[in-house]
């Protein structure tokens, strides 16, 4: 398997855990609330699910089910379906021309993400933002493409600036030669891609680089967050850092981190990561660059 094939191999996808078995579907409470308004209210939705071109990794490859999760998730995150809005399965099925099973499976996935709740005799309703799993990679992407894109941009920048310098420091204490070599390979691939003007290959190698670094930190809780960093690196309109704009300065910072890890210098690895994440002025307004001593 090539090194790039490992990209995002640990990214958390909570959609996987939200699927129901056939037996569970019949027990899931989607009773319509008494007095629920049965008006359509789906004027902003796209009726032809086959035309939904951009799908997240969490729901990719699952046909109508994955596309419905994507469509409803985007509508909830964008505010088109506001908090406490009732979601009637029959109405959704008719609007999007999908089966009752597809609707129920999709709603289960959205419930696992904290976007909706289902209660007997009450029905399924949209939950407030405070209940959402904002660390879910799908929700990260939906926010990045929605009205909250600026907030998502800032929050991801701040979160990465908190996670990755610590991971770089810890990784310096774990001298695994295989990971060290893979990180070196990623820097070489990024350098070649930069010379060729291949932004896609640069981004893929960069994604694996950061995932590997977090995994080798030796902290399982940090490793669990590698999916967040992976999602942050993928979404358009994500954090503006040296990683997002391939250039010689960004490449040099990546190489400095690898050198620091090879030398077991945690402080140097942490400082280089902070510089990598603050090389652009827009990020420096969010988190200041480290002082020079």
């Amino acid at each position: 398997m090539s090194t790039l094939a490992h990209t995002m191999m640990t990214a958390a996808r909570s959609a996987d855990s939200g699927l129901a078995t056939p037996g569970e579907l019949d027990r899931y409470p989607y009773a319509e609330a008494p007095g629920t308004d049965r008006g359509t209210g789906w004027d902003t939705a796209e009726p032809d699910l086959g035309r939904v071109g951009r799908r997240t990794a969490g729901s990719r490859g699952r046909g109508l089910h994955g596309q419905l999760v994507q469509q409803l998730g985007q509508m909830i995150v964008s505010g088109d379906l506001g908090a406490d809005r009732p979601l009637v399965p029959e109405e959704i099925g008719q609007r999007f021309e999908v089966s009752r099973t597809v609707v129920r499976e999709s709603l289960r996935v959205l419930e696992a993400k904290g976007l909706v709740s289902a209660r007997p005799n009450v029905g399924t309703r949209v939950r407030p933002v405070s209940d959402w799993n904002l660390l879910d990679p799908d929700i990260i992407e939906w926010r990045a493409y929605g009205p909250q894109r600026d907030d998502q941009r800032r929050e991801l920048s701040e979160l990465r600036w908190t996670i990755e310098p610590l991971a770089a420091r810890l990784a310096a204490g774990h001298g695994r030669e295989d990971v060290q070599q893979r990180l070196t390979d990623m820097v070489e691939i990024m350098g070649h891609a930069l010379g060729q003007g291949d932004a896609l290959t640069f981004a893929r190698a960069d994604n694996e680089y950061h995932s590997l670094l977090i995994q080798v930190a030796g902290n399982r809780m940090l490793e669990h967050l590698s999916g967040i960093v992976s999602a942050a690196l993928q979404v358009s309109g994500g954090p503006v850092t040296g990683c997002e704009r391939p250039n010689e300065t960004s490449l040099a910072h990546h190489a400095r981190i690898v050198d620091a890890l090879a030398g077991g210098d945690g402080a140097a690895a942490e400082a280089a990561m902070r510089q990598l994440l603050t090389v652009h002025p827009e990020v420096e307004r969010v988190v200041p660059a480290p002082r020079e001593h």
Side-chain angles (χ1 to χ4, degrees):
M1 180 182 293
S2 67
T3 52
L4 290 181
H6 293 281
T7 303
M8 298 194 313
M9 61 184 174
T10 61
R13 297 300 180 199
S14 60
D16 292 337
S17 63
L19 293 175
T21 64
E24 289 174 329
L25 290 175
D26 292 335
R27 297 196 301 269
Y28 200 60
Y30 285 122
E32 183 179 347
T36 298
D37 183 4
R38 292 302 301 270
T40 58
W42 301 92
D43 294 338
T44 59
E46 171 57 70
D48 184 358
L49 291 178
R51 278 188 265 162
V52 179
R54 179 176 52 78
R55 283 177 264 166
T56 63
S59 54
R60 187 179 293 117
R62 295 195 184 133
L64 291 176
H65 160 253
Q67 294 180 57
L68 185 58
V69 169
Q70 170 82 0
Q71 188 74 43
L72 293 176
Q74 287 179 326
M75 292 176 70
I76 293 171
V77 170
S78 69
D80 289 338
L81 297 177
D84 207 38
R85 164 68 188 266
L87 299 179
V88 183
E90 294 81 2
E91 187 176 294
I92 297 173
Q94 293 174 5
R95 179 66 180 86
F96 295 104
E97 298 182 355
V98 294
S99 70
R100 181 169 172 261
T101 298
V102 168
V103 173
R104 285 185 167 179
E105 287 184 346
S106 300
L107 291 175
R108 285 189 66 91
V109 172
L110 294 175
E111 184 176 29
K113 297 176 183 295
L115 295 178
V116 305
S117 63
R119 298 194 303 272
N121 302 320
V122 174
T124 304
R125 291 182 177 271
V126 175
R127 300 172 71 174
V129 177
S130 58
D131 292 340
W132 299 355
N133 177 10
L134 295 179
L135 300 183
D136 181 281
D138 283 338
I139 295 180
I140 289 175
E141 178 171 329
W142 295 335
R143 292 185 74 208
Y145 287 97
Q148 302 91 8
R149 63 177 64 89
D150 291 338
D151 287 340
Q152 181 71 103
R153 186 185 192 88
R154 173 183 55 79
E155 290 167 2
L156 285 173
S157 294
E158 294 170 346
L159 190 59
R160 286 192 63 197
W161 201 83
T162 301
I163 294 172
E164 295 193 76
L166 173 60
R169 173 184 283 274
L170 295 176
H174 296 265
R176 288 177 50 184
E177 293 184 3
D178 57 334
V179 176
Q180 180 74 26
Q181 182 58 52
R182 286 168 64 190
L183 287 170
T184 300
D185 291 343
M186 292 303 101
V187 173
E188 292 179 357
I189 291 172
M190 291 162 69
H192 180 74
L194 181 62
Q196 298 295 316
D198 186 351
L200 179 59
T201 298
F202 187 99
R204 287 174 175 170
D206 184 43
N207 194 320
E208 175 156 349
Y209 177 100
H210 288 270
S211 293
L212 284 171
L213 190 145
I214 292 176
Q215 291 168 40
V216 79
N219 184 305
R220 291 183 179 179
M221 296 187 72
L222 278 179
E223 183 175 344
H224 184 71
L225 298 177
S226 65
I228 300 169
V229 174
S230 180
L233 287 167
Q234 289 183 81
V235 296
S236 174
V240 180
T241 69
C243 305
E244 188 174 306
R245 287 179 169 81
N247 53 48
E248 293 292 344
T249 301
S250 170
L251 186 64
H253 286 312
H254 283 87
R256 283 181 56 205
I257 295 170
V258 173
D259 291 341
L261 296 181
D265 191 340
E270 179 180 7
M273 178 60 78
R274 291 188 186 280
Q275 290 177 341
L276 171 61
L277 296 176
T278 57
V279 295
H280 194 275
E282 181 167 339
V283 176
E284 291 180 353
R285 290 197 298 269
V286 178
V287 284
R291 294 180 180 179
E292 297 293 337
H293 296 284

